[in-house]
Amino acid sequence: EMEHLEMLFNSIHFPLLMSLTLPAQTFNVQRFTATDEQMLTNVGEKMGEMTQLTELSMSFSILTGRIPLKTPLKMLDVSNCSLNHADMAFLASTFHANHLEVLDLSGHNIPEFYPSTFFKLLSHCSSVLRSLSLKDCNIQDTHVRMLILGLSPCQKLQEFKFIGNPLSSQALKHFFTFLCELPMLKNVEFPVPRDCYPIGITCPIDDASVCRFDHQKYERIAEELNLILLQANREDVKISTPLFGSYDAAVQKTNNELGAYLIKSFKDLTSPLEKFTSSFKKMS
């Protein structure tokens, strides 16, 4: 809750803090009172005093019209924060956008609510942007051409995540042809093509239906997308569709898969350790 954050910031100063991740729903401006407004102002001022802060994550807060940023950041996660046009315009100002290397705007209906402001934001951060997440942003086939225009200047982009957008396999193939042109791109998380799902499933797809797609058809399409990369000599680009958890290119697993793998590894390690301990006790 925001009042706890204010108490913390009032009690302890963090002049050297470089990265801050706030709990989900720390802010909810929809139920703000006059006291809350002053509290948010105070929190914003305290964060403004953190002159070394370059990374901020505050996903799943409701921040409509109230982004508490005073200093430019290199990494910003405002996914699912109910941002409005004024918020996007605020982020698109050169003061903030020129520094953004990692940006997560997932969970916002970008094409419908603020397409022009979003592209202004992209144009301002294009020279430094390394990672962009646009998951569940209602990007459809008709928006692909505009998305390509927006991403074209982002020549330093290394990672692009757009899971959960209702795109057809044909649109994805067109988009992947463009992605081959981004020289530093290494990791792409793409959605299950819309035509892999049964007729009648509407977007956004709920959790109960997200796995109800034609897996064989998906595999065929994924192979075709990989072929596009190979034909462009871009075998360095890794693609995946992690429906649950983000893909980690370093270990080639999603968060959930990695967790399961670590638990299994720990169990595999436990048995020999138990045997060693038992033998050691017998010796002593």
Side-chain angles (χ1 to χ4, degrees):
E1 291 290 337
M2 186 173 59
E3 55 266 29
H4 299 140
L5 186 65
E6 184 190 33
M7 290 172 60
L8 175 65
F9 286 171
N10 285 336
S11 304
I12 306 174
H13 297 286
F14 301 94
L16 301 179
L17 188 68
M18 300 178 67
S19 181
L20 176 62
T21 299
L22 300 177
Q25 299 181 349
T26 297
F27 306 106
N28 185 351
V29 302
Q30 290 182 342
R31 58 170 193 251
F32 265 22
T33 63
T35 302
D36 293 325
E37 291 284 358
Q38 184 58 50
M39 197 180 299
L40 180 63
T41 300
N42 294 341
V43 168
E45 289 175 353
K46 292 295 183 182
M47 290 172 62
E49 295 172 3
M50 301 174 188
T51 55
Q52 302 300 309
L53 188 67
T54 59
E55 300 180 357
L56 177 61
S57 175
M58 45 185 175
S59 59
F60 289 95
S61 283
I62 299 179
L63 289 166
T64 313
R66 300 287 197 285
I67 297 180
L69 296 183
K70 302 292 183 181
T71 55
L73 300 167
K74 291 183 178 180
M75 189 283 281
L76 178 63
D77 179 356
V78 283
S79 55
N80 301 285
C81 283
S82 301
L83 303 184
N84 63 11
H85 187 274
D87 295 317
M88 195 63 68
F90 176 73
L91 292 177
S93 67
T94 54
F95 176 72
H96 291 284
N98 285 357
H99 300 83
L100 284 171
E101 297 179 13
V102 179
L103 178 62
D104 192 340
L105 291 171
S106 300
H108 294 97
N109 193 336
I110 289 173
E112 181 175 345
F113 292 121
Y114 23 63
S116 59
T117 316
F118 168 69
F119 289 118
K120 180 181 177 182
L121 168 60
L122 276 187
S123 68
H124 285 161
C125 66
S126 60
S127 62
V128 294
L129 189 65
R130 294 184 292 105
S131 176
L132 177 63
S133 294
L134 299 177
K135 303 176 185 177
D136 300 303
C137 285
N138 195 34
I139 299 170
Q140 303 180 34
D141 289 12
T142 53
H143 307 132
V144 169
R145 189 179 298 275
M146 290 183 63
L147 184 61
I148 289 173
L149 289 174
L151 290 176
S152 292
C154 302
Q155 293 294 296
K156 292 186 178 179
L157 194 67
Q158 299 175 21
E159 181 177 62
F160 183 53
K161 302 177 180 181
F162 61 118
I163 297 286
N165 289 290
L167 292 164
S168 69
S169 56
Q170 197 61 38
L172 284 171
K173 292 173 188 176
H174 176 52
F175 187 57
F176 265 65
T177 301
F178 156 72
L179 290 178
C180 294
E181 300 173 9
L182 297 177
M184 301 186 71
L185 190 67
K186 298 297 180 185
N187 182 36
V188 177
E189 293 184 3
F190 69 98
V192 174
R194 191 185 64 231
D195 38 309
C196 288
Y197 283 99
I199 296 174
I201 287 187
T202 57
C203 293
I205 299 173
D206 57 43
D207 291 342
S209 303
V210 72
C211 290
R212 292 176 52 200
F213 60 90
D214 186 331
H215 289 256
Q216 289 185 340
K217 185 174 183 179
Y218 164 80
E219 292 296 338
R220 289 197 302 271
I221 295 170
E223 288 179 6
E224 292 173 3
L225 296 177
N226 259 316
L227 183 60
I228 291 173
L229 295 171
L230 289 173
Q231 289 176 338
N233 296 317
R234 293 305 309 272
E235 57 271 11
D236 57 319
V237 179
K238 305 302 179 185
I239 67 173
S240 61
T241 306
L243 296 177
F244 305 101
S246 294
Y247 182 77
D248 189 327
V251 295
Q252 298 186 357
K253 294 180 184 293
T254 67
N255 291 347
N256 290 0
E257 291 169 341
L258 179 59
Y261 174 78
L262 290 175
I263 291 172
K264 180 180 182 300
S265 299
F266 180 75
K267 288 180 178 178
D268 292 343
L269 182 63
T270 302
S271 181
L273 282 174
E274 288 175 345
K275 291 179 181 178
F276 174 79
T277 304
S278 177
S279 300
F280 183 77
K281 286 180 178 178
K282 289 178 181 178
M283 290 174 62
S284 56

